[in-house]
Amino acid sequence: MSGAGRQLALFLGICSVAALGLQAEEHYPAGHGGGAQYVAAVYEHRSILSPDPLALTSRTRALELMNQNLDIYEQQVMIAAQKGVQIIVFPEDGIHGFNFTRTSIYPFLDFMPSPHLNKWNPCLEPQRFSDTEVLQRLSCMAINGQMFLVANLGTKEPCHSSDPGCPNDGRYQFNTNVVFSSNGTLVTRYRKHNLYFEAAFDTPLEVDHSTFDTPFAGRFGIFTCFDILFFEPAVSILRDPEVKHIVYPTAWMNQLPLLAAIQIQSSFAIAFGINFLAANIHHPSLGMTGSGIHSPLKSFWHHDLESPEGRLIIAQVAKNPPGLISTGDTTSKMDVSHSKFLKILAGDLHSEKDAQDIHCDGASKWNMSAPPTFNSEMMYDNFTLVPVWGKEGYLRVCANGLCCHLHYRRPSLSNELYSLGVFDGLHTVHGTYYVQACALVKCGGLGFDTCGQEITEATGMFAFYLWGNFSTSYVFPMLLTSGMALETPDQLGWENGHYFLRKSGLSSGLVTAALYGRVYERD
């Protein structure tokens, strides 16, 4: 597939998939991945934090704290090695912690030579560069575990006053991912581009498009946390058709109903037809949990805001991810549900643009008596919504140029309020980026003003189509059910300029079904 064609493989047509999501408990393989699979691990780490990250300390004291976290990493590597793991991913901020100033983090930083200019094995050549103790330990772990190892740390690189971007203190400080091969060689680094309120670090002057090749699964790409919401480098790196796997250290604070950690991770894997290996930090009091090994058809995940302990997730992963194969409009003509959807869609192309009621041939019998539209805050954005009433129906709600549609059936009604919401605009809280979103959500209570609140439990069951006339091809499908369980869509694709998601047979009550579009050029 060409780089251009790879932009979003699933968006080229209608894609039928088998839904399967698995909570990461005991899904350990018996041995090494063979043939068409490899064995991967991600570790959700409860890091030991500095008691006062704002205070100045010495390099010796900083290393004492970081070595406590590295001791835990080492234990997890050896456990993973016994399970035949070939690559392991650790989270962002897992070694040094967070909430530092530029000055207070300095003792925690390793010197980072360019792996592109210096072939270096820190474990075997520890004296080659000073202030590289953390890199040395990670390198030795990779050797002892005989696996590729991905970790995140703070790094420093000196710069000269002749460099127009050089900070006043004469050094760059970066939030950095590093990758070691199974023989301990530093094979690549990635310096985080989209910082999230990280005063201790600098943004690289140029975007790192970091990839690395493995003997067991081909080429991997790498980026960090907040990067996932932006074109650079998360989307642009996938222009390389050889990149079929992403490793993703993160320190993600969950925000429902649309941006829980496992939710965005899984949606990225589905949208791009890739494997996505995500390791989050574990600090439940800060809302930080959610790691997984995700493919387009299956996820092994961990989300736990109760347990204080970390979690190692191990799974067999397809070398060539079973992506959502583009088949065009080959849905069986005997598929009654899809036929009804197509009739409604065809009728809508000639309908009045009324957010409350639809007057279309072939669609009118699905209308409820015109439900009221209302506004409520969701994800800090002003969504326009309509309530989802009754056991079946067809609804539409519009904002700016985006219209979202829902055709649904419910086996029974529950004492819960659901709503269909739309947002088409610039998100400006905790980051600035343009969003087009269609979302079917369970509200926090029975009042309209509770729609958009963060909830994790639900009992309402649905079979439905959700679709919208998105102006972007970058649409991320999200399905979350009661107890923070992931679901996979039955179908996804484009029909007559509308992107749709189809789902029936939910395993538990629906929390969120969403199409989350990103219009990168309008950021």
Side-chain angles (χ1 to χ4, degrees):
M1 184 179 297
S2 70
R6 172 65 185 280
Q7 280 191 359
L8 277 184
L10 69 88
F11 291 124
L12 300 181
I14 298 177
C15 315
S16 297
V17 301
L20 178 59
L22 301 171
Q23 178 76 20
E25 296 293 344
E26 296 294 334
H27 302 286
Y28 298 159
H32 285 272
Q37 295 184 317
Y38 66 98
V39 185
V42 299
Y43 181 59
E44 181 162 311
H45 174 51
R46 181 180 174 85
S47 55
I48 300 168
L49 300 173
S50 169
D52 187 359
L54 302 181
L56 302 182
T57 190
S58 65
R59 174 69 173 173
T60 299
R61 294 294 297 274
L63 284 170
E64 288 176 359
L65 182 139
M66 291 191 290
N67 277 322
Q68 293 180 64
N69 287 307
L70 289 166
D71 288 344
I72 299 172
Y73 280 24
E74 194 164 45
Q75 294 167 7
Q76 299 303 318
V77 166
M78 298 319 296
I79 293 171
Q82 294 171 4
K83 301 289 185 178
V85 166
Q86 294 159 286
I87 184 168
I88 189 168
V89 184
F90 290 101
E92 181 185 24
D93 298 335
I95 296 172
H96 57 273
F98 36 73
N99 292 333
F100 293 93
T101 67
R102 181 176 182 84
T103 302
S104 67
I105 201 173
Y106 182 70
F108 293 84
L109 305 179
D110 266 33
F111 170 70
M112 172 52 78
S114 171
H116 308 296
L117 301 177
N118 302 277
K119 186 176 181 181
W120 179 43
N121 188 311
C123 186
L124 302 182
E125 304 172 271
Q127 305 304 321
R128 185 170 174 187
F129 301 103
S130 60
D131 287 344
T132 56
E133 292 90 341
V134 174
L135 292 170
Q136 292 168 32
R137 281 206 68 181
L138 293 170
S139 171
C140 292
M141 285 182 212
I143 293 174
N144 293 334
Q146 295 185 301
M147 67 184 69
F148 274 65
L149 185 149
V150 182
N152 174 271
L153 72 159
T155 64
K156 58 187 177 182
E157 299 177 27
C159 54
H160 301 285
S161 57
S162 58
D163 178 352
C166 184
N168 293 333
D169 52 20
R171 63 180 182 269
Y172 290 111
Q173 298 182 177
F174 295 120
N175 177 332
T176 305
N177 297 335
V178 289
V179 181
F180 295 93
S181 69
S182 56
N183 67 11
T185 299
L186 177 64
V187 294
T188 195
R189 64 155 187 221
Y190 168 72
R191 299 167 299 181
K192 186 177 180 181
H193 188 71
N194 298 286
L195 298 174
Y196 188 78
F197 302 101
E198 299 170 66
F201 294 120
D202 299 304
T203 300
L205 299 180
E206 296 183 356
V207 180
D208 289 345
H209 296 101
S210 300
T211 62
F212 59 97
D213 293 323
T214 68
F216 53 83
R219 186 164 299 165
F220 286 70
I222 184 170
F223 52 86
T224 310
C225 201
F226 201 39
D227 287 328
I228 198 171
L229 292 179
F230 299 92
F231 187 85
E232 291 287 1
V235 178
S236 63
I237 201 171
L238 293 172
R239 287 173 166 172
D240 179 350
E242 297 301 314
V243 176
K244 298 178 180 178
H245 322 267
I246 294 292
V247 288
Y248 178 69
T250 186
W252 190 276
M253 299 176 69
N254 288 278
Q255 187 181 5
L256 290 165
L258 300 181
L259 288 180
I262 58 173
Q263 197 178 18
I264 188 66
Q265 295 162 14
S266 173
S267 70
F268 199 92
I270 293 171
F272 287 102
I274 58 168
N275 295 320
F276 198 82
L277 283 53
N280 199 5
I281 207 80
H282 188 78
H283 288 286
S285 64
L286 300 175
M288 303 174 92
T289 183
S291 303
I293 298 173
H294 308 275
S295 75
L297 303 186
K298 181 188 297 185
S299 284
F300 300 91
W301 75 87
H302 176 70
H303 176 101
D304 191 343
L305 288 171
E306 303 297 329
S307 171
E309 303 303 321
R311 174 63 63 91
L312 182 67
I313 304 169
I314 301 174
Q316 290 186 336
V317 185
K319 295 179 181 179
N320 290 298
L324 305 178
I325 308 297
S326 174
T327 59
D329 187 0
T330 58
T331 303
S332 170
K333 300 302 181 183
M334 301 302 292
D335 186 334
V336 176
S337 178
H338 197 69
S339 294
K340 288 181 179 178
F341 161 66
L342 292 177
K343 288 180 180 179
I344 293 173
L345 186 60
D348 180 60
L349 297 179
H350 305 93
S351 300
E352 299 176 14
K353 295 188 177 298
D354 186 318
Q356 295 187 24
D357 198 4
I358 307 300
H359 305 285
C360 310
D361 293 338
S364 59
K365 66 180 179 179
W366 299 105
N367 292 343
M368 304 292 294
S369 58
T373 59
F374 62 96
N375 291 90
S376 187
E377 183 178 284
M378 187 189 308
M379 308 296 296
Y380 301 104
D381 295 320
N382 183 28
F383 271 69
T384 302
L385 305 103
V386 291
V388 179
W389 291 335
K391 292 183 66 174
E392 64 180 70
Y394 167 57
L395 298 169
R396 182 175 78 169
V397 62
C398 301
N400 293 333
L402 178 64
C403 287
C404 302
H405 309 253
L406 177 69
H407 175 211
Y408 67 97
R409 290 180 182 272
R410 304 184 64 182
S412 61
L413 296 178
S414 58
N415 188 32
E416 298 166 306
L417 174 62
Y418 282 84
S419 63
L420 172 66
V422 59
F423 179 75
D424 183 358
L426 191 66
H427 175 88
T428 58
V429 179
H430 302 155
T432 301
Y433 44 92
Y434 201 99
V435 174
Q436 289 186 329
C438 295
L440 169 61
V441 297
K442 181 200 165 184
C443 304
L446 297 180
F448 288 171
D449 61 343
T450 68
C451 297
Q453 292 181 357
E454 299 194 31
I455 61 102
T456 59
E457 303 296 329
T459 62
M461 303 297 285
F462 286 81
F464 64 91
Y465 278 83
L466 175 66
W467 70 98
N469 60 330
F470 292 89
S471 64
T472 176
S473 63
Y474 299 102
V475 183
F476 298 87
M478 299 175 173
L479 271 176
L480 196 65
T481 58
S482 191
M484 295 299 294
L486 294 171
E487 299 263 353
T488 305
D490 296 336
Q491 280 184 296
L492 294 166
W494 287 97
E495 281 282 7
N496 293 336
H498 294 68
Y499 187 74
F500 78 92
L501 178 159
R502 176 188 184 182
K503 183 63 181 178
S504 60
L506 293 172
S507 61
S508 59
L510 181 66
V511 172
T512 301
L515 298 172
Y516 190 84
R518 281 286 287 111
V519 189
Y520 300 112
E521 63 271 20
R522 298 183 69 177
D523 287 352

